[in-house]
Every structure is written in C-alpha cells, then in structure tokens.
Amino acid sequence: MTDIIQVKHLKYKYEEEAENYTLNDVTFHVKQGEWLSIIGHNGSGKSTTVRLIDGLLEAESGDIFIDGDKLTVDNVWDKRRLIGMVFQNPDNQFVGATVEDDVAFGLENQGIPLAEMRQRVQEALELVGMADFKIREPARLSGGQKQRVAIAGVVALRPKIIILDEATSMLDPEGRLDLIQIVKDIKDQHGMTVISITHDLDEVALSDRVIVMKNGQVESISTPADLFMRDDLADLDLAQPFTAELAQSLRQAGLAVPLRYFTEEELEETVWEFISKK
C-alpha cells in the first residue's frame, strides 16, 4: 500500500510566547486504505495533529504530504476535499433543516448537479441506516442517529480520508460499537482511509496501527495487539481488554495460555483446545 498521508517533523504551538510546543517534531505516515488510531492524554497533541492535516491550522515548521502532494496555502482547499472530518459533537456540524438537506449541504457547496446530489444523499443515508429519517429534523434525533447523519454528510462527499475526532465519545457503549461498525463497513466497501482519535478500546482494536502521543510527540507506533500487551495502559487512559484479563486469570489457574493478545474468538478457540485435550 502507498502512503496517502506523510507527516514530517511537524512543530506547532498556539501562542508564540508559549515555552513548550503543542507538537514537537511529529513524524508518521498513513497508508492508503488503513485504519490508524491516535491515542494519548488530553493535551498530548492528537486533535492538533489532525487539524494540521486538514489545513485548519498551519504548522510552524515541518511538512505534510496528502495523496502525493505537499500541503500548501495554495492547494489547501483542494486537499481538504479529500478529507472528511466527524467531530465529537454532531450538533456543531448541522446546518440543514432536515436530515437530507444537511447531507446535501456539502454537495451543494461543491456544485454537484441536482440529480447526482439526490443519488449521493440517498446512498449515503442508506449506508448509515438513516434513509427512513431523511425528512426528520436533526434536532429530533438521538445522539447516535446524529453521528450517523454526520458520517453520511462526509461519505456523500466521497473523500479518500475520514477523520474521527473523538466522534464516539458522547455515545453509550452500544451506540459506539454500532457507529464503529458502520465506519468499518464503509471503509471496507469504498477503500477509504480512517484516522481515529479515541480512548475507546473497541475502536482501537479495529485499527491496523496505533500511534501513542505524549507531550506533543509520537511515543510509539504499534499494532493494537502489541499495544494491548503493555503494562502501562492505565497511564494511557485505556483499560486492559477483557480478553487480556481473562487470559491472565487462565494462566494463574495453570493453563499454558501464550503470553500475547487474543481476540474473543481466538481466546475461545484456545480454551476449547485445552478442554478437548482433557
């Protein structure tokens, strides 16, 4: 896979007189079609990083390459069209009187012909399971439904990259799982790249790689499996996954469970193997 995003030696601070940088020499890449999660404490630089990628902020130094081109003040609007962002509070993104009006808003701004616009709106709402709500007022939707509509508005624009900036944090566990699965299905169906800023284990588990940010720098880049085996997850605002706790309990009970991360399915198969041998 080729890199769709390259971030090289970014430095940024919000106030010129600030002693410390919000981002200090941040470097990483994102491959086309992958799901990259970014985690870390509040203030570690996660949201600042994606705002720089989307051109909402301008770095003091360093370079960002999007789809092969260096991000500049001259091409920022063109590159921003390749990126769709979904924020924590969907109410801040709604501008239409109805769901379908809201999803169509970005398409209207891009001058998409009416017939194509209607088709894209319908397809996007069907993808997120909200086609039956298209004439509903956004204010009358639940939190999970609002986030689905926000995602539909992004998907209708057909970006190459979707950025989720704490997009599931205001939802209950069931709502988070539902929304994450919708994004995964869209990603797999359309080959989109996903960058997710999150503290949610299920969201992290779906990603291909995880960046841990600390004090404005990249502390580590790993797979979710490697991350979940760390003994300092609490320091990263992450709980230990249930399967990791259960595997440890099984080891303490005398079962020779390998010291690695297991998904629920993998751990179930491992336990059944032990049982079948007895």
Side-chain angles (χ1 to χ4, degrees), residues 46-48 50-51 85-89 163-169 195-198:
K46 308 183 301 295
S47 292
T48 302
V50 295
R51 280 162 172 74
M85 290 192 70
V86 182
F87 297 96
Q88 183 178 37
N89 189 347
I163 296 177
L164 307 175
D165 190 357
E166 304 275 11
T168 65
S169 63
I195 301 176
S196 170
I197 295 176
T198 185

Side-chain angles (χ1 to χ4, degrees), residues 8-129:
K8 298 183 177 182
H9 306 294
L10 284 190
K11 298 188 74 170
Y12 181 84
K13 55 185 175 181
Y14 286 94
E15 303 292 339
E16 288 187 13
E17 62 272 15
E19 182 178 351
N20 298 317
Y21 280 89
T22 305
L23 295 182
N24 190 4
D25 197 26
V26 169
T27 297
F28 64 89
H29 69 275
V30 187
K31 293 187 177 297
Q32 169 66 44
E34 82 167 329
W35 186 314
L36 177 76
S37 288
I38 304 177
I39 66 172
H41 288 291
N42 291 335
S44 61
K46 308 183 301 295
S47 292
T48 302
T49 299
V50 295
R51 280 162 172 74
L52 285 163
I53 290 173
D54 194 42
L56 297 173
L57 300 173
E58 185 177 357
E60 176 181 307
S61 62
D63 297 313
I64 298 172
F65 292 84
I66 299 176
D67 202 23
D69 299 317
K70 181 178 175 180
L71 183 65
T72 67
V73 293
D74 295 323
N75 67 11
V76 63
W77 290 103
D78 290 333
K79 290 304 176 183
R80 194 175 287 169
R81 288 192 175 195
L82 302 179
I83 301 171
M85 290 192 70
V86 182
F87 297 96
Q88 183 178 37
N89 189 347
D91 289 325
N92 296 334
Q93 295 181 252
F94 288 134
V95 293
T98 66
V99 165
E100 63 180 350
D101 287 343
D102 193 80
V103 176
F105 179 77
L107 299 173
E108 289 179 322
N109 286 341
Q110 290 190 3
I112 303 299
L114 182 59
E116 182 181 352
M117 186 189 310
R118 287 174 174 167
Q119 180 182 352
R120 286 203 201 183
V121 169
Q122 183 65 26
E123 289 176 353
L125 288 174
E126 288 176 357
L127 275 173
V128 300

Side-chain angles (χ1 to χ4, degrees), residues 189-205:
Q189 184 174 342
H190 295 277
M192 291 180 177
T193 302
V194 176
I195 301 176
S196 170
I197 295 176
T198 185
H199 294 284
D200 184 70
L201 280 178
D202 295 307
E203 206 166 331
V204 172

Side-chain angles (χ1 to χ4, degrees), residues 241-266:
F242 166 75
T243 54
E245 293 182 349
L246 180 55
Q248 181 60 26
S249 297
L250 293 173
R251 294 185 196 100
Q252 293 173 351
L255 293 180
V257 178
L259 186 62
R260 68 174 183 85
Y261 171 71
F262 290 88
T263 64
E264 291 185 15
E265 293 79 9
E266 290 170 342

